[in-house]
């Protein structure tokens, strides 16, 4: 991403979300951060977005806003399309007119979820649900625009704040002595903090335009993730009703959901690691850091 001149204004959409909050912390030295709340900027209104952009005229846009209610997206299709497809297209169009850069976040759900091999950035897409379809439409709109862009596809996002899998497990683990968790969906938990840190490095190092996978190293099932959450929480002295051994694995067929989930969400990280000359950390160490922040 061409960042030759100093940035004056950086717009972060979805600034109050998990990724947006971390982006504000990571990018605060790069320029003035504009992170309007929902009350200040209604992202569901194209007219409101156009008016806000014309008034503020940012020098870089980082789109961390998204419709992430995967199951609700099956029925609230227009709402998902607005935030996941139409908004990125609208932002890309503005960036093209102003000749500025755009950073956009996507999902492992754009892939078919079959097999066991990690997905490459140029793997064939084939979403299994409407959420994934709406994210893919957003990616395609950004790629079509004649702009300097970065698309980071990530998976299983969580953080020390907000509603996410780790927070849900810790809450349930204090209430229940046992839990059944799906064990045939394989991916990698990605903390919002890591997403923001890598984004900052990408901007600082003028990462070339394109699609990149952004996640920690390794892989696990949701059941293994839950087991590790309780294991580490127990070691840190968090009071729990459950023990890690009482997290039982079940197949996805035993836990039906309105939206089909991919069984394979493994992501190849070599393109990003080679481009930035880094080795991404493993998901277990990232869980340790996130848990410590959660407890603090």
């Amino acid at each position: 991403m061409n960042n030759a001149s100093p940035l004056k204004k950086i717009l972060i959409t979805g600034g109050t979300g998990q990724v947006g909050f971390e982006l504000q912390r990571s990018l605060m030295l790069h320029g003035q951060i504009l992170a309007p709340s929902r009350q200040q900027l209604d992202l569901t209104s194209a007219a409101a977005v156009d008016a806000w952009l014309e008034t503020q005229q940012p020098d870089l846009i980082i789109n961390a806003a998204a419709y992430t209610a995967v199951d609700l997206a099956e029925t609230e299709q227009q709402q998902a399309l607005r935030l996941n497809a139409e908004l990125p297209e609208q932002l890309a169009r503005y960036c093209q007119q102003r000749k500025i850069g755009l950073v956009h976040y996507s999902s492992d759900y754009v892939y078919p979820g079959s097999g066991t091999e990690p997905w490459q950035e140029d793997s064939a897409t084939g979403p299994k649900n409407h959420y994934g379809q709406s994210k893919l439409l957003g990616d395609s709109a950004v790629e079509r625009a004649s702009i300097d862009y970065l698309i980071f596809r990530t998976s299983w996002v969580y953080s020390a704040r907000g509603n996410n899998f780790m927070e849900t497990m810790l809450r349930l683990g204090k209430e229940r002595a046992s839990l059944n968790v799906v064990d045939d969906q394989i991916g990698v938990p990605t903390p919002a903090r890591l997403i923001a840190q890598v984004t900052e490095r990408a901007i600082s190092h003028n990462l070339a335009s394109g699609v990149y996978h952004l996640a920690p190293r390794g892989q696990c099932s949701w059941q293994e993730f839950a087991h590790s959450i309780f294991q580490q929480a127990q070691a840190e002295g968090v009071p729990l009703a459950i023990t890690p051994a009482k997290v039982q694995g079940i197949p996805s067929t035993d836990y039906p959901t309105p939206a089909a989930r991919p069984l394979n969400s493994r992501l190849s990280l070599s393109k990003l690691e080679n481009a930035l000359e880094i080795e991404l950390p493993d998901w277990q160490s990232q869980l340790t850091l996130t848990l410590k922040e959660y407890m603090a």
Side-chain angles (χ1 to χ4, degrees):
M1 171 158 284
N2 186 1
N3 185 26
S5 59
L7 298 170
K8 297 176 182 177
K9 291 183 180 180
I10 303 172
L11 168 60
I12 300 176
T13 62
T16 58
Q18 295 182 100
V19 175
F21 176 85
E22 298 294 343
L23 284 167
Q24 291 189 63
R25 295 206 293 188
S26 292
L27 296 173
M28 60 189 303
L29 298 180
H30 283 266
Q32 178 188 355
I33 302 296
L34 306 175
S37 66
R38 292 176 183 175
Q39 290 72 33
Q40 295 169 315
L41 174 57
D42 180 8
L43 295 173
T44 66
S45 167
V49 171
D50 279 339
W52 197 94
L53 289 171
E54 187 60 35
T55 301
Q56 298 295 331
Q57 297 190 8
D59 302 298
L60 172 67
I61 297 178
I62 303 182
N63 182 35
Y67 183 103
T68 58
V70 176
D71 288 323
L72 276 177
E74 294 298 304
T75 51
E76 296 184 353
Q77 294 190 4
Q78 186 51 51
Q79 292 94 317
L81 280 172
R82 169 57 201 163
L83 289 178
N84 294 346
E86 294 172 8
L87 176 63
E89 182 175 21
Q90 182 179 13
L91 296 175
R93 189 166 58 246
Y94 177 85
C95 290
Q96 184 172 327
Q97 293 168 354
R98 298 285 181 171
K99 294 181 172 55
I100 64 172
L102 173 64
V103 179
H104 175 66
Y105 299 97
S106 185
S107 168
D108 57 294
Y109 276 41
V110 302
Y111 298 113
S114 54
T116 58
E117 291 298 313
W119 300 106
Q120 306 289 332
E121 284 83 352
D122 59 358
S123 294
T125 53
K128 296 177 67 68
N129 53 48
H130 190 76
Y131 165 77
Q133 291 165 5
S134 66
K135 292 299 291 182
L136 182 58
L137 287 171
D139 292 4
S140 299
V142 173
E143 290 183 275
R144 283 196 307 269
S146 299
I147 59 172
D148 195 16
Y149 73 89
L150 296 173
I151 296 176
F152 290 117
R153 287 179 180 158
T154 188
S155 66
W156 300 13
V157 178
Y158 72 106
S159 72
R161 56 191 53 78
N163 297 319
N164 56 71
F165 185 81
M166 186 189 79
E167 185 275 334
T168 299
M169 288 299 103
L170 289 172
R171 173 171 49 80
L172 293 177
K174 294 175 182 178
E175 303 169 356
R176 303 182 188 179
S178 65
L179 285 170
N180 294 329
V181 183
V182 168
D183 65 1
D184 58 356
Q185 296 173 24
I186 309 299
V188 58
T190 307
R193 178 191 61 258
L194 179 66
I195 295 172
Q197 290 170 343
V198 173
T199 300
E200 189 280 330
R201 184 176 178 89
I203 293 171
S204 298
H205 288 70
N206 295 331
L207 182 62
S209 285
V211 178
Y212 296 87
H213 292 159
L214 199 176
R217 286 182 162 225
Q219 63 183 47
C220 66
S221 67
W222 288 109
Q223 186 266 341
E224 289 169 326
F225 186 27
H227 183 277
S228 292
I229 291 170
F230 294 132
Q231 194 172 47
Q232 292 197 25
Q234 192 177 56
E236 293 290 339
V238 176
L240 296 169
I242 198 171
T243 61
K246 291 296 185 179
V247 182
Q248 302 298 317
I250 60 170
S252 298
T253 51
D254 285 0
Y255 189 71
T257 54
R261 262 56 171 189
L263 297 183
N264 177 22
S265 288
R266 300 168 179 88
L267 299 175
S268 171
L269 306 174
S270 57
K271 181 180 177 182
L272 180 64
E273 289 186 325
N274 291 337
L276 288 179
E277 298 181 336
I278 59 173
E279 181 175 305
L280 289 158
D282 63 83
W283 70 266
Q284 295 95 330
S285 64
Q286 290 295 292
L287 172 59
T288 301
L289 290 173
T290 309
L291 259 175
K292 288 183 181 298
E293 187 177 356
Y294 173 85
M295 293 169 59

